[in-house]
Amino acid sequence: MKIKRVFSLLLAGILATTTLASCGSKGGSSNSGEDKNVLKVAALESAYGSDVWKEVVKAFEETKEGVKVELTIDKKIEDKLRPQMSQGDYPDFMLLSLGREAGLTDTLLKEGEIAPIDDVFDMKIPGEEKTPKDKMMSGFLDAEALKPNKADGDDAYYFAPMFYSPCGLYYNANLLETKGIEVPKTWDQMFELGKTLKDKEKEGEPSLFAYPMAGYFDAFYFALWSNLGGVDYMNKMAAGDVEAWKSSTTDEFFKIMGDLAKYVEGSVVGNANPQNFTKNQQLILDNKALFMPNGTWIVGEMSQAPRADGFKWGQTALPVSKEGETSNVLTFIENAWIPKQAKNPELGKEFMAFMYSDKAAEIFAKYGAAQPIQGVTAMFPEKDKDGNPNENITLFSVLDNANAVMANFTGKQTADGRNLKTVTCETFNSVVNGEKTVDQWKAECIDVVENLQ
Amino acid sequence: MDKQKGRGRFVFFCVAPATILFFIFVVFPTINVFRMSLYKWGGFSANKSFVGLENFKNLMKDAKFFQSFQNTVLIIALVTMVTLIFALTFAGILVRAKMKFKNFFRVIFYIPNILSMVVISAVFSAILDQRNGLLNGILSIFAGKEVSISWLGSQKTVIYSMVIVLIWQAIGYYMVMYMSSMSAIPESLYESADLEGVGPIKQFFTITLPLIWVNIRTTLSFFIISSINMSFLLVQAMTQGNPDGGSEVFLSYMYKQAYTNGSYGYGMAIGVIVFTFSFGLSAVINAVTKRDVIEF
């Protein structure tokens, strides 16, 4: 009997202490959050790794004396932040793009929990005399993607553009050189090249075109739409505007895609799924196909893959309709933003401005990430970490002769059973394997657009 | 009287935990699926709006849904028929025939069932590869020229490729189930049949099959449920519905709608259809296969 009583007392004691202890830790964290000199930074650990953020944070602490940065970085940052945010503990600076599977940024945007950041671009960059606006590459601040509430009459910036990556057509520069093929400037030249190659297919000539998965076509379409009908037209198409989708420019778009479908390498559709898409990328490395739409991350993604002798990555903008036109390249950007409920938003904004400093940009460039400021390509080290020539230098130079455009399908273009991105991208697979005609594809797209509301 | 009461209470407390858990984890979520199918909801925010049967009305106009429905029905029908035949044949041979390495074959046939769907999808991606896959390679030998069929790249072949994978994966499991009930049949029945001069094939149809009929009926329900579930796993790991919905099954379509298309209520409406369909089909199958139970 006595033993039992002692035992239950002991258990009660343990219970009490653990409860108190957990209270104590909660109190501790909220205290540090009130400190004006503590900046909480949360960033997604992407292909560029986590060390890059540690270095940038250190550089910021050196510039702003007395400031201490608490860095949270993770590959699944949403899972780390969810419990903290539900307790009201928000970071002061976030790097997490729209369109992730967990949709944290999308949800906070929809709920109006993201703070406007117009003043950041006019703010003096810590440690420098210039403002982010002075240094930004042209076009980037015009992107509607940074002003997600513009359709509702709110012209404020909510996202800062980070880490741009041009998504053009990738090819083996060495193959084109040795074969004496010039990179096609217009679609006519492109298809002529496709025809020549197809006629000699039996002799082992490569196919004209390949793509990893149909989902990669969003960037391709945005660039093509802006080439055909301008940036306004592109924005309307991306937003699912019925008039734009029924215009004659859209007919042109479908015609080009229909022609392109004829020159797609034969095994692409079978491998255009998450399990096998690297096999489609391998077609470029093996000289089995000439061009494919992709992003600068392809270099790292395929760095361990075997390749043809002398293989050298090259990137070109999409061909245009008439010779002499300047092509647009869809430039993928990541979103940096500040939660409305951040405790230290002023410091968060200073950190955001610091992202555009030479110091930060150089650190980012060292890890292969490019900030959209002028002269950033000169910041790439000449050799990569294996001592080979840094391929990023050539890949980013695609924007020397082309304009950067930015767009994305946000969650607004979906309805029950309908999704604009899915119908525009995935149906292309059926056009390539002959299951559907271009006209059927167009009819399906228009059906989706008309029923979005 | 008092004793009776005490016993009632004892039974109540014994059954209560399981019942409560059952309600929390099975009944309540199921009711919730039905309830949510009447709402429009994105899946994150608190904005839910009641729309009645509108989700179902939209569903009836959704060609992609019907495509996934067709695919699922095809998978259920083909996988059940072919697996049933193969599993029964193999089980009959392994139990009745006098042969060496019986246990070895049993293990070999059962192995695919142990492998996870992710591994299976990787293996079959290699087998079905168009350029240097095993299947096209073998076909090339017989055809005498290079065969280049895009198994996963066409709506016409992709669903049959899935069916083949699912059959390969399921045979071992059902074979072991049939073997266990077949070995319970008394040897004397076969001995007397032998004396009467009945051949092994007739023995199979007149003795073995009727006596394991109860077991076969049970497995038919398993076939329906596991075809629905396994096809979802396979699609998630291997094709994700590519090309253009050609390999979409209704659970993968439901998942896409509910979790990536931001139409959770619509996804739940698909869930309701799946639920009703699989229940209904199981009930029908159960009814039409009802026979008097033969005992030995």
Side-chain angles (χ1 to χ4, degrees), chain A residues 384-447:
Chain A
D384 64 14
K385 51 183 185 293
D386 300 326
N388 301 318
N390 191 339
E391 289 185 296
N392 273 328
I393 297 172
T394 38
L395 291 182
F396 276 85
S397 70
V398 69
L399 288 177
D400 293 350
N401 304 310
N403 299 323
V405 289
M406 277 142 280
N408 39 356
F409 289 117
T410 64
K412 288 175 184 167
Q413 297 84 34
T414 58
D416 292 353
R418 294 186 166 84
N419 185 318
L420 187 58
K421 184 183 171 179
T422 313
V423 73
T424 49
C425 295
E426 303 289 334
T427 318
F428 187 65
N429 275 334
S430 286
V431 176
V432 174
N433 71 17
E435 191 72 21
K436 286 176 186 162
T437 63
V438 176
D439 289 337
Q440 281 171 319
W441 177 26
K442 191 187 165 192
E444 279 186 30
C445 290
I446 292 197
D447 173 66

Side-chain angles (χ1 to χ4, degrees), chain B residues 16 31 51 94 102 117 120 122 126 177 204 251-252 288 296:
Chain B
I31 293 174
V51 292
L94 285 184
K102 265 190 200 174
M117 259 308 169
I120 292 176
M177 287 192 66
F204 178 79
L251 281 191
S252 66
V288 297
F296 34 79

Side-chain angles (χ1 to χ4, degrees), chain A residues 5-22:
Chain A
R5 190 180 290 164
V6 171
F7 190 62
S8 54
L9 261 176
L10 202 71
L11 279 180
I14 291 172
L15 203 68
T17 40
T18 46
T19 319
L20 283 176
S22 62

Side-chain angles (χ1 to χ4, degrees), chain A residues 82 101-104 107 110-111 213-214 265-276 279 283 288 414-419 426-427 429-430 433 435-436 444, chain B residues 40 44-46 55 58 61-62 64 118 121-122 125-126 129-131 150 152-156 237-240 242-244 253 255 257 259-263 266:
Chain A
R82 210 188 294 267
E101 202 178 350
L104 187 139
T107 312
K110 217 183 273 174
E111 292 175 353
M213 280 189 273
E265 205 274 345
S267 66
V268 165
V269 183
N271 290 326
N273 52 53
Q275 173 90 356
N276 296 315
K279 288 185 189 162
L283 292 172
K288 299 240 168 70
T414 58
D416 292 353
R418 294 186 166 84
N419 185 318
E426 303 289 334
T427 318
N429 275 334
S430 286
N433 71 17
E435 191 72 21
K436 286 176 186 162
E444 279 186 30
Chain B
K40 206 156 227 50
F44 282 105
S45 62
N55 286 334
N58 289 339
K61 290 182 278 184
D62 188 350
K64 295 258 168 203
V118 180
S121 77
S125 289
D129 189 86
Q130 184 180 352
R131 279 182 167 275
S150 178
L152 299 177
S154 156
Q155 276 87 337
K156 294 182 187 79
M238 191 144 99
T239 64
Q240 295 216 335
N242 281 308
D244 189 20
Y253 190 62
Y255 184 84
Q257 291 301 322
Y259 296 104
T260 63
N261 198 34
S263 34
Y266 191 67

